[in-house]
Amino acid sequence: QVQVVESGGGLVQPGGSLTLSCEASRFPLGYATVGWFRQAPGKAREEVGCMSSNGGHTFSVDGAKGRFTFSRDRAKNAVYLQMNNLKPEDTAVYFCAATGSYEDCSYGLDHWGKGTQVTVSS
């Protein structure tokens, strides 16, 4: 079975930074299309952005571009979301999800992690 696991969340002050990691077993995550999502308390899940298997990056959340960065390490079979200048409104559970079938997140993502909590507060 494919298992996707996010890590790196925690409590950070406004203006601080966090790097989230996404790793998978029995799946070539380093070569997959990966989407990052978040869900704030009491709100619907939203897409943060997508990193295509061909290297393209797309941000869906207003204000994310310039603060958030996608990257991957194929040797470690991992992908990362670097978040800088965090704001209280960034507080949410962050998820990664992947597909090996398409180069575009819009076609659906097959494998989801259980999420990691990010809390931005003084």
Side-chain angles (χ1 to χ4, degrees):
Q1 293 181 336
V2 174
Q3 296 186 53
V4 176
V5 180
E6 305 95 337
S7 63
L11 176 64
V12 63
Q13 294 183 340
S17 299
L18 285 174
T19 298
L20 305 184
S21 300
C22 183
E23 299 176 284
S25 62
R26 294 178 289 277
F27 184 80
L29 190 63
Y31 295 87
T33 292
V34 179
W36 286 95
F37 301 80
R38 68 185 185 186
Q39 187 168 21
K43 298 185 181 298
R45 185 177 64 198
E46 64 178 344
E47 180 181 329
V48 177
C50 177
M51 178 169 58
S52 173
S53 60
N54 65 16
H57 295 172
T58 301
F59 293 95
S60 300
V61 175
D62 290 341
K65 186 176 182 179
R67 296 194 299 124
F68 293 2
T69 303
F70 299 134
S71 64
R72 73 171 80 223
D73 187 335
R74 285 171 169 162
K76 296 181 178 179
N77 197 35
V79 298
Y80 307 96
L81 177 63
Q82 173 70 42
M83 303 186 293
N84 299 318
N85 192 24
L86 285 162
K87 305 177 185 298
E89 54 263 40
D90 295 318
T91 295
V93 177
Y94 283 72
F95 303 87
C96 67
T99 180
S101 300
Y102 304 101
E103 295 181 349
D104 190 331
C105 291
S106 66
Y107 288 99
L109 301 168
D110 305 306
H111 309 292
W112 288 75
K114 295 182 178 180
T116 184
Q117 177 71 50
V118 172
T119 302
V120 185
S121 176
S122 298

